[in-house]
Amino acid sequence: MAPPTQPITVTRRDQMFPILGDADIERMRRFGEASSYAAGEHIVTAGTVAPGLIVILSGTVDITQDVRPGRRETIVTHGPGNFIGELAQLSSRPSLVNAEAAEPVEAFVIPSQRLRDLMVQEASLGERIMRALILRRVGLLESGSSGPVVIGPAGNGDTLRLQGFLRRSGQPHRALDSDSDPCAKTLIEHFHVDPHHLPIVLCPNGKLMHNPSETELARCIGLLRPIDPDMVYDVAIVGAGPAGLAAAVYAASEGLSTIVLDCRAFGGQAGASARIENYLGFPTGISGMALMARAYNQAQKFGVEIVIPDEAKLLGAAGEGYTLTVGDGESLRARTVVIASGARYRRLDIAKLAEFEGTSVHYWASPIEARLCTGQEVALVGAGNSAGQAAVYLASQVRKVTMLARRGRLRETMSRYLVERIEAQPNIEVLGETEIEALEGEGGNLTQLRWRNPGGVETRPIQHLFLFIGADPNTDWLAGCDIALDARGFVRTGADIGAGQMETSRSGVFAIGDVRSGSVKRVAAAVGEGAQVVAALHAYLARPNAAAPELARRA
């Protein structure tokens, strides 16, 4: 048996909690303001916004997390030369931990905006700080003790929905099974929750929510904040997948005020990839979520305002550029718009599919879904690279994976290295020219699948089905916006409509990534387009009439 993996707080402790030298502290002073705290004073409380990154000059501070109501656990005690903070401090989000002065403390506080200035102006020092902030977030994710607490039946669709949103958003959280966890039962009794109202979420600020939507939960934990109606951004990017995040990083790093919106979570379809092995620079591969989390953190480092989950609903012209109507009746203004809304998962046209979605039918293969399937046989429909990556990952977690493909051979649609890996897995069975005929089960739980192929009809007792059958362009929100689409619904750009590179039929509105007609559906291509569009943005913003898009609309 392999030895247990040590937590990151042990393996990379020196990088997580570095001690700054006198020279480093002096370089940082100009970005902060002096502050002092009395012994026993609560410097930071979980669920509230911290004043910024706090550099300790003298005294000690205990950093704790709330492992359950009324009980705290010490993560680390900081002393002179240490600093208090994690990724939340990059964007003034609520803290996930508590900080209490164990003795009188002298320090200086670097607010979020100045912290980002430090990252840019003091590159080597900023690198050490950024690494520590990221590792601290990873440590909180590993511990599973900080952040909101989701309480509900383990296999319940809404429980899985909330867990999935928090996981895709990179948010530490705990999930307690209301049927078996004593702590969950205690909380349910304490708050007098009727079992029919589960799941519930206990936010770090103490607020209890009954089966909230993702938007309600995001607002409660501080991920989603009101949009400043008076702000006019240089660029608004709709979509936080590889293309959108790449555009955000390059735009913000070049001085453009940038806001990104996404209706689900950062990462797009790339975030669903269990392992990407053909992305340049990662010879051992990297999970899609890890790659996209790095891009998300990088965007925050350069000051990008990220609004997730918030759905763009309407694109209209205004005197200073464009307006985007978003969720909850809000709107924002921007001089340019980049459409990077990607694609949405295709669904099987089969009876009862909706009944099993969220509990037994999955469009994502993550550790959450894998835990539901441990020791079972699962079915996976699809024959592209995403399907192959998911199959290989699931094969390491479940008893057997049965892949169902419409075509006869995977090599027609899948990268060679993935085909070879699948062929080498003893617990992956590939059935070509196969289509599902029926889903059977009750109470939202699948019990068996029936499919047909040239060999006949077969029924198997399978409880979990994964669908990776491609995607359609996510352009419904553009209806009535005078944006030209091709016959399949992708956004037309460039020479195809007599426009500039990646520009749409409306001047100052650009499209990149999977949503763009003619794009190459690869992560690297999407990232390249995200970088490339920034040059087009600069060129457009330099035009004399850039502030009046209503006069520049194309026929």
mmCIF file with all atom_site columns, all heavy atoms in Angstrom, residues 396-420:
data_model
loop_
_atom_site.group_PDB
_atom_site.id
_atom_site.type_symbol
_atom_site.label_atom_id
_atom_site.label_alt_id
_atom_site.label_comp_id
_atom_site.label_asym_id
_atom_site.label_entity_id
_atom_site.label_seq_id
_atom_site.pdbx_PDB_ins_code
_atom_site.Cartn_x
_atom_site.Cartn_y
_atom_site.Cartn_z
_atom_site.occupancy
_atom_site.B_iso_or_equiv
_atom_site.pdbx_formal_charge
_atom_site.auth_seq_id
_atom_site.auth_comp_id
_atom_site.auth_asym_id
_atom_site.auth_atom_id
_atom_site.pdbx_PDB_model_num
ATOM 1   N N   . SER A 1 396 ? -9.880  5.140  -13.519 1.00 0.00 ? 396 SER A N   1
ATOM 2   C CA  . SER A 1 396 ? -9.027  5.045  -12.326 1.00 0.00 ? 396 SER A CA  1
ATOM 3   C C   . SER A 1 396 ? -9.843  5.104  -11.033 1.00 0.00 ? 396 SER A C   1
ATOM 4   O O   . SER A 1 396 ? -9.291  4.914  -9.948  1.00 0.00 ? 396 SER A O   1
ATOM 5   C CB  . SER A 1 396 ? -7.994  6.178  -12.330 1.00 0.00 ? 396 SER A CB  1
ATOM 6   O OG  . SER A 1 396 ? -8.626  7.443  -12.129 1.00 0.00 ? 396 SER A OG  1
ATOM 7   N N   . GLN A 1 397 ? -11.142 5.388  -11.174 1.00 0.00 ? 397 GLN A N   1
ATOM 8   C CA  . GLN A 1 397 ? -11.976 5.578  -9.985  1.00 0.00 ? 397 GLN A CA  1
ATOM 9   C C   . GLN A 1 397 ? -13.098 4.554  -9.848  1.00 0.00 ? 397 GLN A C   1
ATOM 10  O O   . GLN A 1 397 ? -13.604 4.336  -8.752  1.00 0.00 ? 397 GLN A O   1
ATOM 11  C CB  . GLN A 1 397 ? -12.609 6.981  -10.028 1.00 0.00 ? 397 GLN A CB  1
ATOM 12  C CG  . GLN A 1 397 ? -11.641 8.120  -10.251 1.00 0.00 ? 397 GLN A CG  1
ATOM 13  C CD  . GLN A 1 397 ? -10.737 8.357  -9.068  1.00 0.00 ? 397 GLN A CD  1
ATOM 14  O OE1 . GLN A 1 397 ? -11.191 8.339  -7.924  1.00 0.00 ? 397 GLN A OE1 1
ATOM 15  N NE2 . GLN A 1 397 ? -9.453  8.562  -9.320  1.00 0.00 ? 397 GLN A NE2 1
ATOM 16  N N   . VAL A 1 398 ? -13.498 3.922  -10.954 1.00 0.00 ? 398 VAL A N   1
ATOM 17  C CA  . VAL A 1 398 ? -14.655 3.028  -10.923 1.00 0.00 ? 398 VAL A CA  1
ATOM 18  C C   . VAL A 1 398 ? -14.255 1.628  -11.374 1.00 0.00 ? 398 VAL A C   1
ATOM 19  O O   . VAL A 1 398 ? -13.131 1.397  -11.829 1.00 0.00 ? 398 VAL A O   1
ATOM 20  C CB  . VAL A 1 398 ? -15.796 3.564  -11.817 1.00 0.00 ? 398 VAL A CB  1
ATOM 21  C CG1 . VAL A 1 398 ? -16.189 4.972  -11.393 1.00 0.00 ? 398 VAL A CG1 1
ATOM 22  C CG2 . VAL A 1 398 ? -15.395 3.554  -13.297 1.00 0.00 ? 398 VAL A CG2 1
ATOM 23  N N   . ARG A 1 399 ? -15.209 0.695  -11.251 1.00 0.00 ? 399 ARG A N   1
ATOM 24  C CA  . ARG A 1 399 ? -14.920 -0.694 -11.634 1.00 0.00 ? 399 ARG A CA  1
ATOM 25  C C   . ARG A 1 399 ? -14.782 -0.858 -13.139 1.00 0.00 ? 399 ARG A C   1
ATOM 26  O O   . ARG A 1 399 ? -13.898 -1.557 -13.633 1.00 0.00 ? 399 ARG A O   1
ATOM 27  C CB  . ARG A 1 399 ? -16.029 -1.606 -11.100 1.00 0.00 ? 399 ARG A CB  1
ATOM 28  C CG  . ARG A 1 399 ? -15.843 -3.082 -11.451 1.00 0.00 ? 399 ARG A CG  1
ATOM 29  C CD  . ARG A 1 399 ? -16.850 -3.943 -10.720 1.00 0.00 ? 399 ARG A CD  1
ATOM 30  N NE  . ARG A 1 399 ? -18.222 -3.547 -11.007 1.00 0.00 ? 399 ARG A NE  1
ATOM 31  C CZ  . ARG A 1 399 ? -18.916 -3.945 -12.065 1.00 0.00 ? 399 ARG A CZ  1
ATOM 32  N NH1 . ARG A 1 399 ? -18.363 -4.768 -12.962 1.00 0.00 ? 399 ARG A NH1 1
ATOM 33  N NH2 . ARG A 1 399 ? -20.169 -3.559 -12.254 1.00 0.00 ? 399 ARG A NH2 1
ATOM 34  N N   . LYS A 1 400 ? -15.688 -0.204 -13.904 1.00 0.00 ? 400 LYS A N   1
ATOM 35  C CA  . LYS A 1 400 ? -15.649 -0.360 -15.354 1.00 0.00 ? 400 LYS A CA  1
ATOM 36  C C   . LYS A 1 400 ? -16.279 0.858  -16.014 1.00 0.00 ? 400 LYS A C   1
ATOM 37  O O   . LYS A 1 400 ? -17.242 1.441  -15.502 1.00 0.00 ? 400 LYS A O   1
ATOM 38  C CB  . LYS A 1 400 ? -16.413 -1.619 -15.779 1.00 0.00 ? 400 LYS A CB  1
ATOM 39  C CG  . LYS A 1 400 ? -16.412 -1.868 -17.284 1.00 0.00 ? 400 LYS A CG  1
ATOM 40  C CD  . LYS A 1 400 ? -17.166 -3.135 -17.650 1.00 0.00 ? 400 LYS A CD  1
ATOM 41  C CE  . LYS A 1 400 ? -17.156 -3.359 -19.155 1.00 0.00 ? 400 LYS A CE  1
ATOM 42  N NZ  . LYS A 1 400 ? -17.890 -4.584 -19.541 1.00 0.00 ? 400 LYS A NZ  1
ATOM 43  N N   . VAL A 1 401 ? -15.727 1.236  -17.170 1.00 0.00 ? 401 VAL A N   1
ATOM 44  C CA  . VAL A 1 401 ? -16.288 2.298  -17.995 1.00 0.00 ? 401 VAL A CA  1
ATOM 45  C C   . VAL A 1 401 ? -16.664 1.694  -19.341 1.00 0.00 ? 401 VAL A C   1
ATOM 46  O O   . VAL A 1 401 ? -15.822 1.105  -20.024 1.00 0.00 ? 401 VAL A O   1
ATOM 47  C CB  . VAL A 1 401 ? -15.292 3.455  -18.227 1.00 0.00 ? 401 VAL A CB  1
ATOM 48  C CG1 . VAL A 1 401 ? -15.903 4.511  -19.142 1.00 0.00 ? 401 VAL A CG1 1
ATOM 49  C CG2 . VAL A 1 401 ? -14.866 4.073  -16.906 1.00 0.00 ? 401 VAL A CG2 1
ATOM 50  N N   . THR A 1 402 ? -17.929 1.844  -19.725 1.00 0.00 ? 402 THR A N   1
ATOM 51  C CA  . THR A 1 402 ? -18.373 1.412  -21.049 1.00 0.00 ? 402 THR A CA  1
ATOM 52  C C   . THR A 1 402 ? -18.590 2.643  -21.898 1.00 0.00 ? 402 THR A C   1
ATOM 53  O O   . THR A 1 402 ? -19.465 3.471  -21.608 1.00 0.00 ? 402 THR A O   1
ATOM 54  C CB  . THR A 1 402 ? -19.675 0.598  -20.960 1.00 0.00 ? 402 THR A CB  1
ATOM 55  O OG1 . THR A 1 402 ? -19.450 -0.560 -20.148 1.00 0.00 ? 402 THR A OG1 1
ATOM 56  C CG2 . THR A 1 402 ? -20.119 0.155  -22.345 1.00 0.00 ? 402 THR A CG2 1
ATOM 57  N N   . MET A 1 403 ? -17.765 2.793  -22.952 1.00 0.00 ? 403 MET A N   1
ATOM 58  C CA  . MET A 1 403 ? -17.873 3.938  -23.850 1.00 0.00 ? 403 MET A CA  1
ATOM 59  C C   . MET A 1 403 ? -18.781 3.584  -25.021 1.00 0.00 ? 403 MET A C   1
ATOM 60  O O   . MET A 1 403 ? -18.602 2.552  -25.672 1.00 0.00 ? 403 MET A O   1
ATOM 61  C CB  . MET A 1 403 ? -16.494 4.337  -24.388 1.00 0.00 ? 403 MET A CB  1
ATOM 62  C CG  . MET A 1 403 ? -15.578 4.966  -23.368 1.00 0.00 ? 403 MET A CG  1
ATOM 63  S SD  . MET A 1 403 ? -14.090 5.647  -24.155 1.00 0.00 ? 403 MET A SD  1
ATOM 64  C CE  . MET A 1 403 ? -14.786 7.079  -25.024 1.00 0.00 ? 403 MET A CE  1
ATOM 65  N N   . LEU A 1 404 ? -19.739 4.458  -25.278 1.00 0.00 ? 404 LEU A N   1
ATOM 66  C CA  . LEU A 1 404 ? -20.676 4.254  -26.377 1.00 0.00 ? 404 LEU A CA  1
ATOM 67  C C   . LEU A 1 404 ? -20.419 5.336  -27.419 1.00 0.00 ? 404 LEU A C   1
ATOM 68  O O   . LEU A 1 404 ? -20.518 6.537  -27.131 1.00 0.00 ? 404 LEU A O   1
ATOM 69  C CB  . LEU A 1 404 ? -22.115 4.351  -25.880 1.00 0.00 ? 404 LEU A CB  1
ATOM 70  C CG  . LEU A 1 404 ? -22.457 3.520  -24.625 1.00 0.00 ? 404 LEU A CG  1
ATOM 71  C CD1 . LEU A 1 404 ? -23.898 3.764  -24.218 1.00 0.00 ? 404 LEU A CD1 1
ATOM 72  C CD2 . LEU A 1 404 ? -22.207 2.039  -24.874 1.00 0.00 ? 404 LEU A CD2 1
ATOM 73  N N   . ALA A 1 405 ? -20.081 4.927  -28.636 1.00 0.00 ? 405 ALA A N   1
ATOM 74  C CA  . ALA A 1 405 ? -19.769 5.871  -29.712 1.00 0.00 ? 405 ALA A CA  1
ATOM 75  C C   . ALA A 1 405 ? -20.633 5.580  -30.929 1.00 0.00 ? 405 ALA A C   1
ATOM 76  O O   . ALA A 1 405 ? -20.888 4.416  -31.265 1.00 0.00 ? 405 ALA A O   1
ATOM 77  C CB  . ALA A 1 405 ? -18.293 5.778  -30.087 1.00 0.00 ? 405 ALA A CB  1
ATOM 78  N N   . ARG A 1 406 ? -21.082 6.641  -31.596 1.00 0.00 ? 406 ARG A N   1
ATOM 79  C CA  . ARG A 1 406 ? -21.909 6.464  -32.778 1.00 0.00 ? 406 ARG A CA  1
ATOM 80  C C   . ARG A 1 406 ? -21.105 5.902  -33.943 1.00 0.00 ? 406 ARG A C   1
ATOM 81  O O   . ARG A 1 406 ? -21.594 5.103  -34.724 1.00 0.00 ? 406 ARG A O   1
ATOM 82  C CB  . ARG A 1 406 ? -22.543 7.792  -33.189 1.00 0.00 ? 406 ARG A CB  1
ATOM 83  C CG  . ARG A 1 406 ? -23.662 8.239  -32.277 1.00 0.00 ? 406 ARG A CG  1
ATOM 84  C CD  . ARG A 1 406 ? -24.344 9.474  -32.833 1.00 0.00 ? 406 ARG A CD  1
ATOM 85  N NE  . ARG A 1 406 ? -25.476 9.877  -32.015 1.00 0.00 ? 406 ARG A NE  1
ATOM 86  C CZ  . ARG A 1 406 ? -26.278 10.882 -32.310 1.00 0.00 ? 406 ARG A CZ  1
ATOM 87  N NH1 . ARG A 1 406 ? -26.052 11.596 -33.420 1.00 0.00 ? 406 ARG A NH1 1
ATOM 88  N NH2 . ARG A 1 406 ? -27.285 11.201 -31.529 1.00 0.00 ? 406 ARG A NH2 1
ATOM 89  N N   . ARG A 1 407 ? -19.844 6.358  -34.063 1.00 0.00 ? 407 ARG A N   1
ATOM 90  C CA  . ARG A 1 407 ? -19.003 5.868  -35.159 1.00 0.00 ? 407 ARG A CA  1
ATOM 91  C C   . ARG A 1 407 ? -18.369 4.544  -34.776 1.00 0.00 ? 407 ARG A C   1
ATOM 92  O O   . ARG A 1 407 ? -18.367 4.132  -33.614 1.00 0.00 ? 407 ARG A O   1
ATOM 93  C CB  . ARG A 1 407 ? -17.937 6.899  -35.497 1.00 0.00 ? 407 ARG A CB  1
ATOM 94  C CG  . ARG A 1 407 ? -18.521 8.243  -35.946 1.00 0.00 ? 407 ARG A CG  1
ATOM 95  C CD  . ARG A 1 407 ? -17.465 9.110  -36.569 1.00 0.00 ? 407 ARG A CD  1
ATOM 96  N NE  . ARG A 1 407 ? -17.984 10.421 -36.938 1.00 0.00 ? 407 ARG A NE  1
ATOM 97  C CZ  . ARG A 1 407 ? -17.327 11.316 -37.660 1.00 0.00 ? 407 ARG A CZ  1
ATOM 98  N NH1 . ARG A 1 407 ? -16.115 11.038 -38.115 1.00 0.00 ? 407 ARG A NH1 1
ATOM 99  N NH2 . ARG A 1 407 ? -17.865 12.481 -37.944 1.00 0.00 ? 407 ARG A NH2 1
ATOM 100 N N   . GLY A 1 408 ? -17.777 3.942  -35.779 1.00 0.00 ? 408 GLY A N   1
ATOM 101 C CA  . GLY A 1 408 ? -17.209 2.624  -35.541 1.00 0.00 ? 408 GLY A CA  1
ATOM 102 C C   . GLY A 1 408 ? -15.867 2.646  -34.840 1.00 0.00 ? 408 GLY A C   1
ATOM 103 O O   . GLY A 1 408 ? -15.534 1.732  -34.089 1.00 0.00 ? 408 GLY A O   1
ATOM 104 N N   . ARG A 1 409 ? -15.046 3.706  -35.058 1.00 0.00 ? 409 ARG A N   1
ATOM 105 C CA  . ARG A 1 409 ? -13.692 3.730  -34.499 1.00 0.00 ? 409 ARG A CA  1
ATOM 106 C C   . ARG A 1 409 ? -13.421 5.072  -33.846 1.00 0.00 ? 409 ARG A C   1
ATOM 107 O O   . ARG A 1 409 ? -13.742 6.136  -34.385 1.00 0.00 ? 409 ARG A O   1
ATOM 108 C CB  . ARG A 1 409 ? -12.661 3.490  -35.608 1.00 0.00 ? 409 ARG A CB  1
ATOM 109 C CG  . ARG A 1 409 ? -12.849 2.172  -36.353 1.00 0.00 ? 409 ARG A CG  1
ATOM 110 C CD  . ARG A 1 409 ? -11.805 2.044  -37.450 1.00 0.00 ? 409 ARG A CD  1
ATOM 111 N NE  . ARG A 1 409 ? -10.457 2.019  -36.912 1.00 0.00 ? 409 ARG A NE  1
ATOM 112 C CZ  . ARG A 1 409 ? -9.376  2.423  -37.588 1.00 0.00 ? 409 ARG A CZ  1
ATOM 113 N NH1 . ARG A 1 409 ? -9.518  2.930  -38.800 1.00 0.00 ? 409 ARG A NH1 1
ATOM 114 N NH2 . ARG A 1 409 ? -8.186  2.338  -37.038 1.00 0.00 ? 409 ARG A NH2 1
ATOM 115 N N   . LEU A 1 410 ? -12.778 5.020  -32.670 1.00 0.00 ? 410 LEU A N   1
ATOM 116 C CA  . LEU A 1 410 ? -12.432 6.249  -31.950 1.00 0.00 ? 410 LEU A CA  1
ATOM 117 C C   . LEU A 1 410 ? -11.401 7.073  -32.704 1.00 0.00 ? 410 LEU A C   1
ATOM 118 O O   . LEU A 1 410 ? -11.368 8.309  -32.586 1.00 0.00 ? 410 LEU A O   1
ATOM 119 C CB  . LEU A 1 410 ? -11.893 5.909  -30.554 1.00 0.00 ? 410 LEU A CB  1
ATOM 120 C CG  . LEU A 1 410 ? -12.874 5.295  -29.556 1.00 0.00 ? 410 LEU A CG  1
ATOM 121 C CD1 . LEU A 1 410 ? -12.166 5.047  -28.231 1.00 0.00 ? 410 LEU A CD1 1
ATOM 122 C CD2 . LEU A 1 410 ? -14.082 6.195  -29.335 1.00 0.00 ? 410 LEU A CD2 1
ATOM 123 N N   . ARG A 1 411 ? -10.556 6.427  -33.473 1.00 0.00 ? 411 ARG A N   1
ATOM 124 C CA  . ARG A 1 411 ? -9.461  7.142  -34.154 1.00 0.00 ? 411 ARG A CA  1
ATOM 125 C C   . ARG A 1 411 ? -9.981  8.180  -35.154 1.00 0.00 ? 411 ARG A C   1
ATOM 126 O O   . ARG A 1 411 ? -9.238  9.064  -35.563 1.00 0.00 ? 411 ARG A O   1
ATOM 127 C CB  . ARG A 1 411 ? -8.555  6.139  -34.879 1.00 0.00 ? 411 ARG A CB  1
ATOM 128 C CG  . ARG A 1 411 ? -7.783  5.229  -33.927 1.00 0.00 ? 411 ARG A CG  1
ATOM 129 C CD  . ARG A 1 411 ? -6.895  4.250  -34.656 1.00 0.00 ? 411 ARG A CD  1
ATOM 130 N NE  . ARG A 1 411 ? -6.259  3.325  -33.716 1.00 0.00 ? 411 ARG A NE  1
ATOM 131 C CZ  . ARG A 1 411 ? -5.112  3.572  -33.095 1.00 0.00 ? 411 ARG A CZ  1
ATOM 132 N NH1 . ARG A 1 411 ? -4.477  4.705  -33.347 1.00 0.00 ? 411 ARG A NH1 1
ATOM 133 N NH2 . ARG A 1 411 ? -4.592  2.702  -32.257 1.00 0.00 ? 411 ARG A NH2 1
ATOM 134 N N   . GLU A 1 412 ? -11.229 8.074  -35.545 1.00 0.00 ? 412 GLU A N   1
ATOM 135 C CA  . GLU A 1 412 ? -11.795 9.039  -36.486 1.00 0.00 ? 412 GLU A CA  1
ATOM 136 C C   . GLU A 1 412 ? -12.031 10.402 -35.839 1.00 0.00 ? 412 GLU A C   1
ATOM 137 O O   . GLU A 1 412 ? -12.081 11.423 -36.527 1.00 0.00 ? 412 GLU A O   1
ATOM 138 C CB  . GLU A 1 412 ? -13.116 8.513  -37.052 1.00 0.00 ? 412 GLU A CB  1
ATOM 139 C CG  . GLU A 1 412 ? -12.980 7.209  -37.836 1.00 0.00 ? 412 GLU A CG  1
ATOM 140 C CD  . GLU A 1 412 ? -14.334 6.693  -38.282 1.00 0.00 ? 412 GLU A CD  1
ATOM 141 O OE1 . GLU A 1 412 ? -15.253 7.518  -38.455 1.00 0.00 ? 412 GLU A OE1 1
ATOM 142 O OE2 . GLU A 1 412 ? -14.488 5.468  -38.443 1.00 0.00 ? 412 GLU A OE2 1
ATOM 143 N N   . THR A 1 413 ? -12.176 10.438 -34.511 1.00 0.00 ? 413 THR A N   1
ATOM 144 C CA  . THR A 1 413 ? -12.561 11.684 -33.831 1.00 0.00 ? 413 THR A CA  1
ATOM 145 C C   . THR A 1 413 ? -11.716 12.032 -32.617 1.00 0.00 ? 413 THR A C   1
ATOM 146 O O   . THR A 1 413 ? -11.904 13.098 -32.025 1.00 0.00 ? 413 THR A O   1
ATOM 147 C CB  . THR A 1 413 ? -14.028 11.583 -33.363 1.00 0.00 ? 413 THR A CB  1
ATOM 148 O OG1 . THR A 1 413 ? -14.186 10.390 -32.572 1.00 0.00 ? 413 THR A OG1 1
ATOM 149 C CG2 . THR A 1 413 ? -14.980 11.530 -34.556 1.00 0.00 ? 413 THR A CG2 1
ATOM 150 N N   . MET A 1 414 ? -10.776 11.174 -32.241 1.00 0.00 ? 414 MET A N   1
ATOM 151 C CA  . MET A 1 414 ? -10.030 11.358 -30.996 1.00 0.00 ? 414 MET A CA  1
ATOM 152 C C   . MET A 1 414 ? -8.531  11.346 -31.248 1.00 0.00 ? 414 MET A C   1
ATOM 153 O O   . MET A 1 414 ? -8.048  10.638 -32.144 1.00 0.00 ? 414 MET A O   1
ATOM 154 C CB  . MET A 1 414 ? -10.408 10.241 -30.001 1.00 0.00 ? 414 MET A CB  1
ATOM 155 C CG  . MET A 1 414 ? -9.876  10.431 -28.584 1.00 0.00 ? 414 MET A CG  1
ATOM 156 S SD  . MET A 1 414 ? -10.367 9.058  -27.489 1.00 0.00 ? 414 MET A SD  1
ATOM 157 C CE  . MET A 1 414 ? -12.150 9.264  -27.433 1.00 0.00 ? 414 MET A CE  1
ATOM 158 N N   . SER A 1 415 ? -7.786  12.117 -30.459 1.00 0.00 ? 415 SER A N   1
ATOM 159 C CA  . SER A 1 415 ? -6.328  12.147 -30.589 1.00 0.00 ? 415 SER A CA  1
ATOM 160 C C   . SER A 1 415 ? -5.730  10.763 -30.354 1.00 0.00 ? 415 SER A C   1
ATOM 161 O O   . SER A 1 415 ? -6.211  9.998  -29.499 1.00 0.00 ? 415 SER A O   1
ATOM 162 C CB  . SER A 1 415 ? -5.726  13.134 -29.585 1.00 0.00 ? 415 SER A CB  1
ATOM 163 O OG  . SER A 1 415 ? -6.110  14.457 -29.897 1.00 0.00 ? 415 SER A OG  1
ATOM 164 N N   . ARG A 1 416 ? -4.668  10.481 -31.092 1.00 0.00 ? 416 ARG A N   1
ATOM 165 C CA  . ARG A 1 416 ? -4.078  9.134  -31.066 1.00 0.00 ? 416 ARG A CA  1
ATOM 166 C C   . ARG A 1 416 ? -3.616  8.725  -29.665 1.00 0.00 ? 416 ARG A C   1
ATOM 167 O O   . ARG A 1 416 ? -3.828  7.580  -29.250 1.00 0.00 ? 416 ARG A O   1
ATOM 168 C CB  . ARG A 1 416 ? -2.899  9.089  -32.038 1.00 0.00 ? 416 ARG A CB  1
ATOM 169 C CG  . ARG A 1 416 ? -2.194  7.750  -32.071 1.00 0.00 ? 416 ARG A CG  1
ATOM 170 C CD  . ARG A 1 416 ? -1.072  7.754  -33.086 1.00 0.00 ? 416 ARG A CD  1
ATOM 171 N NE  . ARG A 1 416 ? -0.300  6.527  -33.051 1.00 0.00 ? 416 ARG A NE  1
ATOM 172 C CZ  . ARG A 1 416 ? 0.737   6.272  -33.828 1.00 0.00 ? 416 ARG A CZ  1
ATOM 173 N NH1 . ARG A 1 416 ? 1.123   7.175  -34.724 1.00 0.00 ? 416 ARG A NH1 1
ATOM 174 N NH2 . ARG A 1 416 ? 1.385   5.124  -33.728 1.00 0.00 ? 416 ARG A NH2 1
ATOM 175 N N   . TYR A 1 417 ? -3.007  9.675  -28.919 1.00 0.00 ? 417 TYR A N   1
ATOM 176 C CA  . TYR A 1 417 ? -2.477  9.291  -27.604 1.00 0.00 ? 417 TYR A CA  1
ATOM 177 C C   . TYR A 1 417 ? -3.600  8.855  -26.657 1.00 0.00 ? 417 TYR A C   1
ATOM 178 O O   . TYR A 1 417 ? -3.425  7.954  -25.828 1.00 0.00 ? 417 TYR A O   1
ATOM 179 C CB  . TYR A 1 417 ? -1.662  10.430 -26.994 1.00 0.00 ? 417 TYR A CB  1
ATOM 180 C CG  . TYR A 1 417 ? -2.462  11.523 -26.316 1.00 0.00 ? 417 TYR A CG  1
ATOM 181 C CD1 . TYR A 1 417 ? -2.725  11.475 -24.948 1.00 0.00 ? 417 TYR A CD1 1
ATOM 182 C CD2 . TYR A 1 417 ? -2.956  12.612 -27.037 1.00 0.00 ? 417 TYR A CD2 1
ATOM 183 C CE1 . TYR A 1 417 ? -3.455  12.470 -24.321 1.00 0.00 ? 417 TYR A CE1 1
ATOM 184 C CE2 . TYR A 1 417 ? -3.679  13.612 -26.418 1.00 0.00 ? 417 TYR A CE2 1
ATOM 185 C CZ  . TYR A 1 417 ? -3.927  13.536 -25.065 1.00 0.00 ? 417 TYR A CZ  1
ATOM 186 O OH  . TYR A 1 417 ? -4.651  14.520 -24.452 1.00 0.00 ? 417 TYR A OH  1
ATOM 187 N N   . LEU A 1 418 ? -4.783  9.480  -26.810 1.00 0.00 ? 418 LEU A N   1
ATOM 188 C CA  . LEU A 1 418 ? -5.912  9.087  -25.973 1.00 0.00 ? 418 LEU A CA  1
ATOM 189 C C   . LEU A 1 418 ? -6.474  7.736  -26.384 1.00 0.00 ? 418 LEU A C   1
ATOM 190 O O   . LEU A 1 418 ? -6.831  6.914  -25.529 1.00 0.00 ? 418 LEU A O   1
ATOM 191 C CB  . LEU A 1 418 ? -7.009  10.157 -26.043 1.00 0.00 ? 418 LEU A CB  1
ATOM 192 C CG  . LEU A 1 418 ? -6.837  11.375 -25.138 1.00 0.00 ? 418 LEU A CG  1
ATOM 193 C CD1 . LEU A 1 418 ? -7.879  12.430 -25.458 1.00 0.00 ? 418 LEU A CD1 1
ATOM 194 C CD2 . LEU A 1 418 ? -6.928  10.970 -23.673 1.00 0.00 ? 418 LEU A CD2 1
ATOM 195 N N   . VAL A 1 419 ? -6.548  7.493  -27.683 1.00 0.00 ? 419 VAL A N   1
ATOM 196 C CA  . VAL A 1 419 ? -7.023  6.194  -28.156 1.00 0.00 ? 419 VAL A CA  1
ATOM 197 C C   . VAL A 1 419 ? -6.130  5.077  -27.618 1.00 0.00 ? 419 VAL A C   1
ATOM 198 O O   . VAL A 1 419 ? -6.613  4.052  -27.118 1.00 0.00 ? 419 VAL A O   1
ATOM 199 C CB  . VAL A 1 419 ? -7.066  6.155  -29.696 1.00 0.00 ? 419 VAL A CB  1
ATOM 200 C CG1 . VAL A 1 419 ? -7.441  4.753  -30.180 1.00 0.00 ? 419 VAL A CG1 1
ATOM 201 C CG2 . VAL A 1 419 ? -8.056  7.183  -30.242 1.00 0.00 ? 419 VAL A CG2 1
ATOM 202 N N   . GLU A 1 420 ? -4.823  5.280  -27.701 1.00 0.00 ? 420 GLU A N   1
ATOM 203 C CA  . GLU A 1 420 ? -3.885  4.258  -27.222 1.00 0.00 ? 420 GLU A CA  1
ATOM 204 C C   . GLU A 1 420 ? -4.025  4.052  -25.716 1.00 0.00 ? 420 GLU A C   1
ATOM 205 O O   . GLU A 1 420 ? -3.924  2.923  -25.214 1.00 0.00 ? 420 GLU A O   1
ATOM 206 C CB  . GLU A 1 420 ? -2.458  4.664  -27.583 1.00 0.00 ? 420 GLU A CB  1
ATOM 207 C CG  . GLU A 1 420 ? -2.185  4.633  -29.091 1.00 0.00 ? 420 GLU A CG  1
ATOM 208 C CD  . GLU A 1 420 ? -0.790  5.114  -29.448 1.00 0.00 ? 420 GLU A CD  1
ATOM 209 O OE1 . GLU A 1 420 ? -0.095  5.641  -28.553 1.00 0.00 ? 420 GLU A OE1 1
ATOM 210 O OE2 . GLU A 1 420 ? -0.397  4.955  -30.623 1.00 0.00 ? 420 GLU A OE2 1
#
